Amino acid sequence: MLIAGNWKMNLNSSDLFEFQKLIVNEKIEKKVEIAIFPQFPQLQLAKQILSKYNVKIGAQSCSSQLSGAFTGDVSADAISDIGCDYCIVGHSERREFHNETNEFVKNSASLLLSQNITPIICVGESLNIKLQNRTQKFIHNQIKECIPDIVSSSLIIAYEPLWAIGTGRIPKNEEIMSVHNVIFNELSHVKNLKIIYGGSVNLSNCSNVLKLKNVHGALIGGSSLKFKDFLAIYKTAVKQVI
Ligand code: PEP
């Protein structure tokens, strides 16, 4: 199980120290990982002050190119240099605001795997696609186009319906389970596969989501910025597993 906090373009170094103050008193279980995804300039400090408490660190995006004249982009190599465990790829905000395509996602994920960083590949349908009952087909296609040809180590898929991100709306349990099943069937060849759910997970709904079969954790935006809530969600996950 993984509880991952996507801080997006929020918080700064002093917040990392605040988070550290709280995590010092937490017992981080082996069976449930906790990870945070701060902005690039804070990754090094996050690694330095949090990894001794078993908090995993991840980046929020990665270039689809190995290196070169790509001003402002960050390579898998640089992310590996910091010692990141994870990197989110293909988040819907990257797809929307930075035109990241399925092909881009596939290339970034391949480069991350080559650096032994676990990619967290985001997939999810828009409200329009949901209303047209095309969710399963759409996810099937995204998975086909985003997954690297060779997955040598572990891989995480985050199912994040676009209409659930930051809206307070969340799919029905059956809807989450059926999409996770589609992903599982498509990726049955991947040995270390986790499928996590993301989209408006909070302290009140987390136990309902985390108890579902085939849900191996959560990618959390808004509620990860409220550290006490985030840690309470972590404790809920621990209760489900242990
Ligand atoms: C996200 O953007 O990855 C996300 C899940 O956000 P929120 O939890 O705020 O819906």
Side-chain angles (χ1 to χ4, degrees):
M1 182 91 76
L2 170 68
I3 301 299
N6 177 11
W7 287 9
K8 309 193 184 190
M9 205 170 73
N10 298 295
L11 308 185
N12 55 33
S13 306
S14 59
D15 298 299
L16 278 175
F17 287 108
E18 287 308 310
F19 186 73
Q20 186 198 32
K21 274 189 213 154
L22 294 176
I23 209 79
V24 168
N25 302 315
E26 294 297 328
K27 187 166 181 289
I28 305 302
E29 301 287 342
K30 273 223 168 92
K31 285 189 181 164
V32 184
E33 285 190 357
I34 187 164
I36 58 160
F37 297 74
Q39 300 180 65
F40 277 120
Q42 277 118 40
L43 285 175
Q44 187 95 54
L45 178 65
K47 181 76 192 172
Q48 211 178 308
I49 67 172
L50 295 173
S51 56
K52 54 177 169 287
Y53 303 108
N54 285 329
V55 176
K56 307 283 180 191
I57 306 298
Q60 297 176 13
S61 69
C62 169
S63 171
S64 64
Q65 302 293 325
L66 196 57
S67 64
F70 301 100
T71 304
D73 289 348
V74 177
S75 68
D77 185 38
I79 294 169
S80 156
D81 226 20
I82 290 170
C84 286
D85 308 280
Y86 294 111
C87 182
I88 299 171
V89 276
H91 190 281
S92 62
E93 287 149 17
R94 299 294 305 175
R95 292 177 188 264
E96 184 179 354
F97 303 124
H98 296 269
N99 302 318
E100 293 186 5
T101 60
N102 288 343
E103 190 189 359
F104 179 104
V105 172
K106 181 174 176 175
N107 289 341
S108 311
S110 304
L111 290 169
L112 289 161
L113 285 169
S114 74
Q115 297 283 350
N116 285 322
I117 298 167
T118 303
I120 301 181
I121 298 179
C122 300
V123 296
E125 80 285 2
S126 65
L127 186 57
N128 228 353
I129 287 171
K130 175 184 162 57
L131 294 175
Q132 292 167 16
N133 283 327
R134 291 198 293 122
T135 298
Q136 301 224 351
K137 180 116 200 0
F138 182 83
I139 300 291
H140 175 85
N141 219 40
Q142 267 194 326
I143 291 290
K144 259 198 141 35
E145 292 184 4
C146 291
I147 304 307
D149 297 327
I150 300 165
V151 181
S152 44
S153 46
S154 48
L155 181 70
I156 299 182
I157 307 295
Y159 170 48
E160 297 209 308
L162 273 52
W163 52 272
I165 295 178
T167 60
R169 295 181 62 194
I170 195 158
K172 295 188 192 105
N173 288 353
E174 313 83 79
E175 290 173 323
I176 298 177
M177 285 191 296
S178 78
V179 172
H180 281 224
N181 275 341
V182 168
I183 299 170
F184 252 113
N185 292 338
E186 195 58 44
L187 297 177
S188 53
H189 60 284
V190 177
K191 272 201 198 120
N192 291 314
L193 175 70
K194 277 196 187 100
I195 307 177
I196 63 178
Y197 168 80
S200 293
V201 173
N202 59 33
L203 191 48
S204 346
N205 61 25
C206 65
S207 77
N208 181 48
V209 172
L210 295 170
K211 70 168 193 230
L212 298 176
K213 193 168 167 267
N214 283 353
V215 173
H216 301 131
L219 181 54
I220 303 166
S223 291
S224 73
L225 304 177
K226 302 173 205 154
F227 297 156
K228 287 196 175 140
D229 281 15
F230 185 58
L231 293 174
I233 294 172
Y234 176 78
K235 280 182 202 153
T236 306
V238 170
K239 270 194 215 137
Q240 309 264 359
V241 168
I242 293 171

